[in-house]
Amino acid sequence: MNWHEEYRKKYKELKEKGVPFFPDVVLLDTIAACLVFALLVYLAAFHPPHLEGLADPTDTNYTPRPEWYFLFLFQALKFFPGSMEAVAAIILPGALLGVLFLVPFLDRGPERHPFDRPLWTGLGIFGLCVYAGLTWAASKSPLANPAEEKRPDVIAGKRLYAQLSCAYCHQIKNEGGRVGPALDRLSDATTDEWLSKHLRDPQAGTPGSRMPKMNLLDDEVSALTAYIRSYNPNDPFTPAAPKLFAENCSACHRIRGEGGDLAPDLSEIGAMRDKAHIQKYIQDPAQFNPDSTMPAYKGQLKDHEIEDLSRYLARQRRR
Ligand code: HEC
Ligand code: HEC
């Protein structure tokens, strides 16, 4: 006798014996409910849920995420364009609940064991797999604002920027005053050191600056610098760039005293030319100066090496 027949026999026996709903089944139900309740009380008392900081309406870097059990809906929303949001958020989940509600009316067979009802068991397992798959995909999906999310200094800087009313004089994303320069379009050559120095004491680097000295603390200076920097990614050059320059260019060009004097000194090139111009110049000087004695490096150096060199040169500036 295999397990299947055994099961049917047991089921038949039990059914014949009969267990009254009240009090037997109700008692079992009550015990189960009490156990679950006790577990909830225990969890609430000894493992309270993790709370995040107070909501801050000025913090646009916050990336809200639903609790794990709603991540599947969050993920399902991504398959629909904005105008069809209601389909993913209301109609589909509603239809699924409707099906669940109708199962007792649709699945009318006398069989009780899951294996005797392959269609409904299969549908149920399929549903669970979809749920698990969507939840997994959502947990892997990148945060909307990953760089800033992981950078508390940028967030702190943003807060200071608002508190100290920098926007009274400066623009970021075209919002703010026009007394000072826009801070999301700084020159490539602006270094973090220069920024920090300027924030500490604007008049020191820029005599007669109209920007007030704010007596900032060290960590406020670095937070503001990080915030401003987040709008001005400084393409860093690699350590290979100065070496490339020494090997290929320093026979003719000089940077801060190092190199030949057959060609212009490039120590201040970043103050006069931007990276894009420098890059084109290195690729083919003849397009700017038909009489150029400088060799064209397109094809001589790899594209990424020319890119690296251009970043290096764009940073050559005294401030
Ligand atoms: C009263 C107006 C005013 C306020 C307030 C102000 N700035 Fe300025 N800022 C200026 C002006 C004007 C300049 C232009 C150069 C100069 O005069 O120093 C400037 C220059 C700068 C620069 C250098 C930009 C560049 O590349 O030349 C930075 C960075 C800067 N401000 C950041 C800030 C921050 C951060 C705050 C808030 C803590 C702030 N500023 C508040 C007026 C202001
Ligand atoms: C044989 C000498 C020689 C070599 C080698 C050389 N250059 Fe030049 N370069 C010149 C001369 C001369 C000029 C001045 C303008 C012209 O003739 O094109 C110049 C101009 C430039 C300029 C433009 C300066 C400006 O004011 O716009 C850049 C940028 C530059 N070189 C970068 C490089 C880089 C990077 C390398 C190495 C990959 C390099 N050069 C190698 C001779 C050279």
Side-chain angles (χ1 to χ4, degrees), residues 161 164-166 169-170 179-181 183 186 190 194-195 198-199 206 209-212 214 224 228 319:
Y161 188 83
L164 300 171
S165 305
C166 310
C169 296
H170 291 285
V179 182
L183 296 183
L186 296 183
T190 310
W194 187 88
L195 273 177
H198 184 88
L199 290 171
T206 316
S209 173
R210 284 198 283 153
M211 175 159 154
M214 314 232 177
L224 280 169
I228 295 171
R319 80 178 206 188

Side-chain angles (χ1 to χ4, degrees), residues 23 25 30 49 51 66 88 98 105 125-126 130 133 149 167-169 221 227 232 267 282 314:
V25 177
T30 313
L51 290 182
F105 302 99
I125 291 175
F126 175 74
V130 170
E149 171 95 350
Y168 184 76
C169 296
V221 169
Y227 175 60
N232 301 277
S267 313
I282 301 174

